[in-house]
Amino acid sequence: MALTRSSENPILTRADIPDVPPGIVDATSVFNPGAVMHDGRHLLMLRVQTRGRETFFMTAGSDDGTHFEVSPHIVPIRGIDRVAGTVYHSYDPRITRLGDTYYVMFAMDTDAGCRLGLARTTDFATVDFVGTSGTDDIRNGVLFPEKIGGDYVRLDRPNRVSFESGVTSGDTIVLSRSDDLIDWRPVAPVMRGRLHYWDELIGPGPPPVKTREGWLLVYHGIATHLAGACIYQAGVALLALDDPAEVLARSRNNILEPREPYEMIGQVPNVVFPSGMIVEGYDEQGFADPDGRVLVYYGAADTSVGLATSTVGDLLAACGD
Ligand code: BMA
């Protein structure tokens, strides 16, 4: 089995969220975290929701990757007020380290629709808004941890599919390139959803990880054909190192699906939503060690945070299953 749930799951629940009045009092949920190693510790950037259904970012730190302590602060995105109109929610942060800077790419619900916001930080105490990253209606965007062919590169998922509820989604992960992280050129579709199967709608999960075999991508897929239900699951794919628009392998089955009560019951039932991934162990050239432990952090039922672990080698093998 490619991914094994932590016996401590869910590793974070609303009970772990300290009050930060007046914004956060008796939090409702915590889910879909970004994850990164920072100063030798595991760091999560959390999506915290309140009874007012307002959304805030908080951080949590851990020495072992499983037991986290949430800092009693809201993390403001300094300068986000430059966005025209109202930003109703900022959520689903994906964190990529480029050199000494951490970039956070996140979804923003704005008057104009869903947009990707980009912020940067070196310490997670102050996080500065860089800008709205592109003009398209996109919810999921993940930056690669290095330039490829001289460009910044990301995987994104344009929202081109509408549910009856008005929620938008998409069935294609696209590769886009940029000179400045703000203006993006879509260059090629990478993967499409597989109608009738587990991943009809898809979106990138955490930022891709560089291995000697290729870029390892964990993504989410949604099955929509089951009466009255959308089931969110996770899968893996392998993309070519020099041209990540080329898919070398893609798992036939999902590698994580809602099975535990905390994944099946909650604010949005039947959801596992991988958003953070930490690999413990890289070689001198910056490739992930095949034996390195992989920690995948995911939102469970839009209510709590789950952890599932693997190794780089096992995830690579799952791409071909
Ligand atoms: C997606 C996003 C995620 C959420 C998921 C399940 O479209 O909004 O933030 O976890 O739906 O509700």
Side-chain angles (χ1 to χ4, degrees):
M1 211 169 27
L3 277 176
T4 306
R5 286 177 182 77
S6 166
S7 58
E8 313 267 332
N9 269 358
I11 59 159
L12 283 172
T13 70
R14 52 171 299 279
D16 299 302
I17 305 301
D19 283 354
V20 190
I24 299 176
V25 177
D26 187 25
T28 291
S29 52
V30 50
F31 54 109
N32 298 4
V36 77
M37 290 302 290
H38 171 59
D39 272 353
R41 302 191 79 210
H42 300 72
L43 180 139
L44 298 182
M45 192 163 176
L46 307 167
R47 171 181 178 178
V48 173
Q49 244 178 18
T50 65
R51 285 171 174 246
R53 295 288 181 270
E54 293 178 39
T55 312
F56 296 96
F57 288 138
M58 298 180 85
T59 56
S62 168
D63 291 321
D64 64 5
T66 303
H67 302 92
F68 282 86
E69 194 176 337
V70 182
S71 302
H73 314 284
I74 292 167
V75 179
I77 307 290
R78 279 198 317 204
I80 199 169
D81 49 352
R82 297 202 307 267
V83 178
T86 304
V87 178
Y88 297 95
H89 299 284
S90 298
Y91 56 102
D92 296 2
R94 268 64 165 230
I95 306 170
T96 300
R97 184 175 178 166
L98 274 161
D100 291 333
T101 303
Y102 300 99
Y103 285 92
V104 185
M105 198 165 265
F106 55 98
M108 298 186 297
D109 288 347
T110 74
D111 288 316
C114 192
R115 296 286 182 273
L116 286 174
L118 183 70
R120 75 171 157 230
T121 184
T122 51
D123 57 11
F124 289 94
T126 51
V127 179
D128 290 305
F129 190 60
V130 178
T132 304
S133 196
T135 53
D136 294 340
D137 198 300
I138 296 177
R139 183 173 300 106
N140 307 123
V142 296
L143 267 181
F144 283 74
E146 60 186 62
K147 286 184 165 182
I148 302 173
D151 296 322
Y152 294 108
V153 180
R154 81 177 183 200
L155 298 171
D156 50 55
R157 202 288 311 280
N159 291 327
R160 293 184 190 138
V161 174
S162 295
F163 290 116
E164 270 173 37
S165 63
V167 172
T168 56
S169 185
D171 64 357
T172 309
I173 294 176
V174 172
L175 187 80
S176 300
R177 291 181 174 269
S178 173
D179 303 325
D180 60 2
L181 296 168
I182 296 299
D183 289 319
W184 289 87
R185 312 179 291 281
V187 290
V190 179
M191 286 170 30
R192 295 189 196 280
R194 293 180 282 207
L195 266 185
H196 306 289
Y197 298 106
W198 75 266
D199 50 352
E200 298 186 279
L201 303 175
I202 56 175
V209 166
K210 191 178 185 186
T211 76
R212 294 213 174 258
E213 319 287 322
W215 292 102
L216 184 63
L217 172 71
V218 170
Y219 70 102
H220 70 267
I222 314 167
T224 65
H225 58 278
L226 297 125
C230 277
I231 305 177
Y232 282 71
Q233 308 129 89
V236 269
L238 189 64
L239 312 179
L241 283 178
D242 53 347
D243 178 13
E246 186 189 343
V247 179
L248 302 176
R250 177 176 176 183
S251 64
R252 171 179 179 167
N253 294 316
N254 74 52
I255 57 166
L256 191 71
E257 63 180 12
R259 287 191 179 180
E260 297 295 327
Y262 55 87
E263 298 162 346
M264 296 190 295
I265 302 166
Q267 213 174 191
V268 182
N270 292 321
V271 175
V272 298
F273 192 86
S275 47
M277 178 154 86
I278 289 177
V279 175
E280 297 174 339
Y282 284 87
D283 68 19
E284 279 134 34
Q285 281 92 39
F287 293 97
D289 174 357
D291 297 324
R293 189 166 78 124
V294 181
L295 301 103
V296 175
Y297 298 94
Y298 62 96
D302 284 11
T303 299
S304 59
V305 176
L307 165 65
T309 60
S310 186
T311 64
V312 172
D314 283 349
L315 286 180
L316 287 171
C319 291
D321 280 351

